Amino acid sequence: MKILFLSEFFPTKLGGKLSGGSEARTYYLANEMSRLGHTVSVITARLPGTFSEEDWSEVKVYRVGPERSYVQGADLIKRVEFWFALLIKSLFINFDLVDGNNTAVYVTAYFISRFKRKKCVYWIPDLPSFSKWQTIVGSLFATINIFNQWLSLKLEANGIIALSHYTQGLIQSYGIVKNKISIIYPGVPEVGLKNKAKHKIPTIVSIQRLTHYKRTDLVISALAV
């Protein structure tokens, strides 16, 4: 199968730094699908020091739009330029299935799948409220992201992958029928399962970025109790 992944951001090199959960999921899944024999392409934003086309083992990475650095509240003009470049590049890629992983790429994934009469899936980790988006990226991008969420779900992909039952409920609140949603919990690299050391006191491992909305303080409070 020919699989096309659309991801606003992607590492700068194989085994490189991962900046967020959506990026990490797409990175590992793209490499795993390639290992299983699928033809895999990724279209993403152009980061400093990268090239427009890169071959990562068996994964083809295309970088489009103006050069950008990873930030959640990106420059609006550069983001619009990225959207147009993403759409145009996608039209020239041969695929059987396109996978979109966040609000920046869902609409593009939908339209190119319909144009080429192929299948489209969204991976949705969360559907933040306006106030939550506002805290993360400010009012302007909060408005854009809320509109993108609404439009994406009204367009309806062939299938939707939810991160959890909680996310499934958020998706259903937009009128999406339950049988169109698959729940797939996030995985971890196999190497992470090999350390079976036992601890004398309760131990929690929390892997996330230290940003306010990730609520790391709740993990600390829970362990303290």
Side-chain angles (χ1 to χ4, degrees):
M1 179 184 290
K2 298 180 179 67
I3 306 173
L4 173 61
F5 290 96
L6 303 185
S7 179
E8 185 172 18
F9 294 106
F10 205 68
T12 57
K13 62 182 179 179
L14 189 64
K17 178 183 176 181
L18 296 165
S19 302
S22 296
E23 178 184 345
R25 174 260 180 187
T26 301
Y27 170 78
Y28 285 111
L29 187 57
N31 282 285
E32 181 64 13
M33 291 297 100
S34 175
R35 188 186 69 80
L36 294 173
H38 300 286
T39 301
V40 177
S41 302
V42 178
I43 307 179
T44 185
R46 187 159 63 91
L47 298 175
T50 59
F51 300 94
S52 58
E53 293 188 15
E54 301 170 353
D55 289 302
W56 294 19
S57 185
E58 299 301 321
V59 177
K60 188 78 171 182
V61 179
Y62 300 95
R63 299 186 184 274
V64 300
E67 186 175 285
R68 305 163 62 195
S69 296
Y70 175 83
V71 285
Q72 290 186 312
D75 179 270
L76 180 59
I77 295 176
K78 286 188 176 181
R79 202 177 200 194
V80 171
E81 289 182 70
F82 166 70
W83 284 336
F84 280 109
L86 177 69
L87 177 62
I88 292 170
K89 187 64 180 179
S90 299
L91 295 174
F92 292 94
I93 304 296
N94 186 19
F95 63 87
D96 301 306
L97 173 71
V98 58
D99 173 287
N101 73 0
N102 74 357
T103 55
V105 301
Y106 292 146
V107 173
T108 299
Y110 174 84
F111 279 114
I112 64 166
S113 69
R114 293 302 178 266
F115 179 78
K116 292 197 168 190
R117 298 181 180 179
K118 303 296 183 179
K119 299 294 184 180
C120 168
V121 296
Y122 300 154
W123 177 73
I124 301 181
D126 193 9
L127 289 173
S129 63
F130 178 82
S131 59
K132 186 173 181 180
W133 273 126
Q134 193 175 34
T135 300
I136 301 169
V137 297
S139 298
L140 176 59
F141 273 94
T143 303
I144 293 171
N145 286 341
I146 286 293
F147 175 74
N148 270 338
Q149 287 178 183
W150 173 83
L151 179 60
S152 301
L153 291 169
K154 290 303 177 184
L155 292 173
E156 291 194 32
N158 296 101
I160 296 176
I161 302 170
L163 183 71
S164 64
H165 285 282
Y166 173 75
T167 304
Q168 180 191 43
L170 295 177
I171 296 169
Q172 287 182 259
S173 71
Y174 282 78
I176 306 299
V177 294
K178 187 175 181 179
N179 62 8
K180 202 168 189 177
I181 306 168
S182 299
I183 299 172
I184 301 178
Y185 291 106
V188 294
E190 187 176 331
V191 66
L193 302 176
K194 294 181 180 180
N195 185 0
K196 298 181 180 179
K198 294 183 178 180
H199 299 272
K200 294 181 179 180
I201 59 175
T203 303
I204 296 176
V205 177
S206 177
I207 303 174
Q208 60 196 28
R209 285 179 291 122
L210 293 178
T211 55
H212 174 72
Y213 73 96
K214 295 289 186 179
R215 298 306 308 272
T216 308
D217 59 307
L218 294 181
V219 179
I220 297 172
S221 298
L223 187 59
V225 172

